[in-house]
Amino acid sequence: MKKLIVSLLLVSCYGLGFTVRAQEKSSETFIEEGVSLYDEGKYQEAIDSYKQVNENDSNYVWMLSELCMTFLQTQNYDSAIYYADKGLQFPSSLRQHLMRSKGTAYDAAGQHDKCIEVYTEATRLYPYSYLLHYNLGMTYLGLNDYPAAMQCFQESIRCNPFHASSHMRLGMLMARQENYTRAMLSLETFLALEPRSDRSNTILIYLENLSSGYIDTTYGEIISPLTDNAIFEELDGLIRAKIVLNDRYKPVIKFNANVVKQTSLLMEMLPFDGIDNDFWTETYLPLFRAIKEGDYLEPFLYTILSSSGKEDVLKWMNKNKKTMDAFYKTGANLTNIRNSRKVVIDGREMTLAATYDDDGNLMSLGNRDASGKETGIWRYFYPNGELKSGGEGIGGERTGKWFFNNDNGLTETVETYRNGVLNGDYVSY
């Protein structure tokens, strides 16, 4: 009997010790272990680890966001939506992330109307998030709402001109309208940004077919034009007529592909004095002009041909690294489109200069006077897209009311300034 009691006591002690150790485990540890399990494809184990975090814990919303992602991966879309909604009940720095996950879940579940509703609200709250615009564009594309999809992809590029997928989708959408020049500008920019990924060769083949006058309709049937194409109509006619697809036309590089010849024609005939308010002239012509003026057509062609796997292409690129590095610098011309933004603040439409951090996140909107000092309306942002602070300045000094938010979007303080000095009106929330 004594042995039985001792044994039970030992079991109880070991059990108690296990409970204490489990309680000592931090919520951060549970989440990090869940993330590791997720990365290993052990989704149920990841879910079990996440669910150890208590609702009253400060990391609870972080856990919910990871839980939502895991249910997305397992295609349990109802659960993903449920936990996204649960996370959105709390003010947090993860609001945009949760809204994006919720929209993705609705889209994957075939509830496209609800997906559009979520993404539309998200883009209203975070108008400078390229992923929100891109995801919304993909939903519209799946519903064959081509004008809306086009606008979303364009806005995604305005937010992040280095997002290769937006250029690719926009280019294929233009090809389906038989807008050859617009399609080539977008698709070749995609290949310049993403020359050797898993999908690059697919797009290179698609572009080669397009350059040969054949539009591969396995990627979408021909559709009616969405834009006035007058500015590129002459060049489109030349591309369509295949005037350079003969042995008499000598391409810039020795590579047997129609895309090489048609791109050489494109570079010769582009209307570099393009009209304002045309997305393609504003976005792509600064880049292609820099390529032409810098005499970088050769490295440009080798770059977009990278995924062909041809030994001559890779050999040339390795042999001409200095030329390639100089060509890569022309990519900075893509940023022109996002250096300023048209916004509406307090019912007033205005154009404000934009600055970005090293990761491409919007940091500020606002203009400077001739001496470089902040003047007029300014807005500052956190990396997660939440509005950080805002107000008005004159000659680099704050004036009037300024608000200051934390990274969950809630206002912390409102201050009133006169000639750059806090005049005593300070409200804390």
Side-chain angles (χ1 to χ4, degrees), residues 4 15 19 22 36 38 42 66 103 140 145 148 173 199 213 230 243 250 275 289 297 304 332 335 343 386 397 404 419:
L4 179 59
T19 304
S36 296
Y38 175 94
K42 299 176 180 178
E66 296 295 343
Y140 280 127
D145 188 342
L173 198 51
R199 56 188 179 166
I243 62 170
K250 300 302 178 184
I275 57 175
R289 183 187 295 110
L297 180 55
I304 67 174
T335 63
V343 299
E386 295 290 350
E397 296 182 337
F404 300 87
N419 299 325

Side-chain angles (χ1 to χ4, degrees), residues 334-350:
L334 278 174
T335 63
N336 291 349
I337 195 171
R338 69 170 183 173
N339 288 342
S340 64
R341 302 285 305 195
K342 289 182 179 179
V343 299
V344 177
I345 297 177
D346 298 332
R348 291 184 289 167
E349 185 175 307
M350 60 193 76

Side-chain angles (χ1 to χ4, degrees), residues 96 123-129 341 343-345 352-357 360-366 377-391 402-409:
Q96 182 185 160
T123 55
R124 184 189 68 80
L125 293 170
Y126 307 101
Y128 313 112
S129 170
R341 302 285 305 195
V343 299
V344 177
I345 297 177
L352 302 177
T355 64
Y356 301 84
D357 64 20
N361 301 307
L362 181 67
M363 288 176 58
S364 69
L365 290 171
I377 289 178
W378 274 77
R379 294 290 185 265
Y380 298 89
F381 300 86
Y382 288 103
N384 68 352
E386 295 290 350
L387 191 56
K388 185 176 185 179
S389 62
W402 277 72
F403 63 85
F404 300 87
N405 299 341
N406 55 34
D407 65 359
N408 63 15

Side-chain angles (χ1 to χ4, degrees), residues 170-182:
L170 194 58
M172 296 180 85
L173 198 51
M174 291 302 106
R176 293 175 62 186
Q177 300 167 61
E178 300 181 278
N179 286 346
Y180 288 84
T181 302
R182 294 183 191 273

Side-chain angles (χ1 to χ4, degrees), residues 215-262:
I215 298 170
D216 189 347
T217 55
T218 59
Y219 296 96
E221 298 293 332
I222 303 298
I223 59 176
S224 300
L226 304 175
T227 59
D228 177 7
N229 198 42
I231 189 172
F232 295 122
E233 195 55 53
E234 181 181 356
L235 180 50
D236 273 9
L238 296 174
I239 295 171
R240 197 179 293 112
K242 308 176 189 177
I243 62 170
V244 296
L245 302 188
N246 57 70
D247 294 337
R248 295 189 303 276
Y249 187 85
K250 300 302 178 184
V252 174
I253 65 173
K254 294 181 179 179
F255 190 96
N256 186 24
N258 289 336
V259 66
V260 171
K261 293 182 177 182
Q262 294 283 34

